[in-house]
Amino acid sequence: MFAFLLGSILLSVVAFSQKSLASVAFCENADYESGALGISPYQTYQAAPFHPIQLNYALPPTNCPANNDVQGYFFLTPAGVVIMQDHVLILNPNGTLVGAIPGTFMGLHKYNGVDHVAVWKGQYEPGRRAYGRGYIVLLDNTYSPVANLYDLLYMNGVDIDQLQDDSKPWGWRRSSRVQVLHHELEITSNKTAIMVAYPPQAANLSAYGGPENGYIADGVVQEVDITTGRALFTWRASEHVDPGECYAAMGDATGKGTREYPWDYFHINSIQKQDDGNYLVSSRHCHVLYLIHPSGDIIWRMGGKMSDFVLPKGIEFSWQHHARIYNRSILSLFNNGATHFVKDLPFPQAFLLKFDYSNVDREISIINIQSPFNRKPAAARGSIQLLENGESIVGWGTSPYFSQHDANGEIKWSAQFAPSQNDNGAYRVFLHDWVGRPSTLPSMQISNTSTSNNVTVYAWWNGATEVSAWQLFGSAISNPLALTFLDVVSKVDFESTLRYAGEEDYEMFRVAAIDANGEILAYSDLVSLDGEIDVKADSQTVMGTRY
Ligand SMILES: *[C@@H]1O[C@H](CO)[C@@H](O)[C@H](O)[C@H]1NC(C)=O
Ligand SMILES: *[C@@H]1O[C@H](CO)[C@@H](O)[C@H](O)[C@H]1NC(C)=O
Ligand SMILES: *[C@@H]1O[C@H](CO)[C@@H](O)[C@H](O)[C@H]1NC(C)=O
Ligand SMILES: *[C@@H]1O[C@H](CO)[C@@H](O)[C@H](O)[C@H]1NC(C)=O
Ligand SMILES: *[C@@H]1O[C@H](CO)[C@@H](O)[C@H](O)[C@H]1NC(C)=O
Ligand SMILES: *[C@@H]1O[C@H](CO)[C@@H](O)[C@H](O)[C@H]1NC(C)=O
């Protein structure tokens, strides 16, 4: 049933999207925004079964499409009617694909002192992405899982399974709009994970126009020791924040206050632990950033009906995402100013504020305000990443754009990964350095037009960042490991094409991924011309020959 649904969704996307073999980003391509290239333009390859989004620099960087303003890789998970949605995409600044991991990007996190990719895997509530059920895995730089954080939360008394109904095709019934882990993840230097869940909680809602024996979706923050599985901190919004403080009236979009459909009055969407042990919690539906003491007490509120700070004019934020504090004095925030049922602002903004963490001085000053290139509302999602040089990368939430801003907030360039009419976007978009050394082997496919003395081979290696060239080798079936070098090409895209045409006949082929120093990183399997004989590379000795 589910597979069938997925199949028909993919088919319909194919029908109204146009494939594009051009894989570097477009620069100011007007057909892209108009929808003339389909509502989800994507890249294809000769053989690699990947269809990542095709970028368009709607506002080009000075060097388009190379984009010398950035170093590293873009990490994002395009959502909605996009082929290969729900994959963490790692893209070069020029738009070419580096790797794709199934799941939703939850950030790059230091764990054991080195970077790991956190990926949420699960199912969203059909038709909506505010709620979903799933778990987070941490992947090391070989893309191997080192921790599964679902088990930890579950073990520690956050009863996310209480309303599960396996008889439903998507594994849980609408009533359990339990949103597990999807909105935030932080890994601390103490090897703890900070996570969020929205378990249903019985509540008397008659004072808010709901049922006396009603239900809210609680907002739970939990910090768990990843090594021991022990919960170190659990905070429940329902024990500290009265729904009267919040703005999301009970209704269809926020839940009716019933057990079937609990009222999502709080809606946590970011948490950041501070060096002093306090937690910064963003409540989208209360329009508040709370600083929470390890005892659970609220130290201060920023924004909303009971703000302990005076917000300057123009930054009275609402329905916000992704709050972060730097150096106990600078706050970055993505202000949606809108949701699917209220529009406070015509388009979102991101900002950097200077404030007094100790809240002695209640005044806040504006460092900069960042505006989107396409001035369309963003009803959900969004992120702002402060770079070390004071510049920032902003992901414009449901608006499928991201951009770089200088230290004054001025826009430097803006890329789109779908036309604006595709109101889906990405949860967060970040720029990161990354070294991916996959534990999987390089992939190859021999073109079906090939003969023993005229061969075309396609090579790719999902997630590998260190490949600068590919080599092709051939051998005789009688002695497959006596390999002859046949071709070498520089790697400029996700997939590379290697060719041999000559006097000699070969029956077996394999490729080698070569790094910038000319060292062989790994071989693919050895494959016969007809694709039927396959000698596993891991049964071979890697020769380490320099070429
Ligand atoms: C529910 O709350 C209302 C007023 O807020 C109160 O009158 C009523 O007694 C409460 N019901 C229960 C079962 O506590
Ligand atoms: C790490 O643990 C120490 C000792 O318990 C504590 O003082 C510190 O605040 C913790 N740091 C973080 C980032 O949680
Ligand atoms: C925080 O302070 C450090 C050390 O002074 C500095 O290098 C860094 O740029 C500051 N971060 C921000 C966002 O101001
Ligand atoms: C090669 O593969 C393509 C794509 O699958 C197919 O259309 C074509 O007929 C094949 N050609 C041969 C010679 O088998
Ligand atoms: C090798 O095959 C390709 C593609 O099938 C063809 O275009 C080319 O002419 C062939 N080369 C030789 C030397 O036969
Ligand atoms: C795209 O960018 C990557 C990283 O800088 C580079 O290795 C690759 O050659 C570029 N590809 C093209 C087609 O420009």
Side-chain angles (χ1 to χ4, degrees), residues 449 454 456 501:
T449 58
N454 186 354
T456 301

Side-chain angles (χ1 to χ4, degrees), residues 128 130-131 177 179 183 198 215-219 246 248-251 253-257 261-268 285 341:
R128 302 196 61 211
Y131 308 97
R177 300 176 93 208
Q179 200 284 332
H183 280 106
Y198 295 5
Y215 281 82
I216 54 160
D218 207 345
C246 307
M250 233 175 289
T254 55
K256 297 187 175 80
Y261 214 21
W263 181 26
D264 180 15
Y265 86 101
F266 195 74
H267 202 100
I268 299 176
H285 289 178
F341 43 93

Side-chain angles (χ1 to χ4, degrees), residues 292-368:
I292 292 164
H293 188 267
S295 68
D297 292 343
I298 294 169
I299 300 172
W300 49 246
R301 290 167 171 81
M302 185 187 292
K305 296 175 185 171
M306 301 163 66
S307 183
D308 294 306
F309 291 88
V310 183
L311 290 175
K313 270 232 145 340
I315 62 144
E316 297 97 341
F317 55 83
S318 57
W319 319 106
Q320 77 284 345
H321 277 85
H322 197 221
R324 289 290 186 268
I325 292 174
Y326 300 85
N327 292 349
R328 296 166 62 104
S329 60
I330 291 169
L331 181 102
S332 66
L333 188 68
F334 185 85
N335 179 21
N336 297 74
T339 175
H340 291 100
F341 43 93
V342 176
K343 276 196 180 43
D344 298 331
L345 288 177
F347 54 85
Q349 51 185 198
F351 38 64
L352 281 187
L353 306 176
K354 191 151 180 54
F355 78 112
D356 177 9
Y357 180 84
S358 62
N359 191 35
V360 176
D361 175 7
R362 302 175 62 241
E363 300 295 322
I364 296 175
S365 58
I366 299 172
I367 298 171
N368 67 41

Side-chain angles (χ1 to χ4, degrees), residues 203-208 211-213:
N204 177 357
L205 297 176
S206 59
Y208 313 99
E212 195 169 46
N213 55 347

Side-chain angles (χ1 to χ4, degrees), residues 445 447-449:
Q445 188 174 310
S447 150
N448 65 1
T449 58

Side-chain angles (χ1 to χ4, degrees), residues 431-455:
L431 173 73
H432 283 299
D433 288 334
W434 175 243
V435 175
R437 297 178 180 278
S439 57
T440 54
L441 296 176
S443 304
M444 65 170 270
Q445 188 174 310
I446 303 174
S447 150
N448 65 1
T449 58
S450 299
T451 62
S452 57
N453 63 4
N454 186 354
V455 176

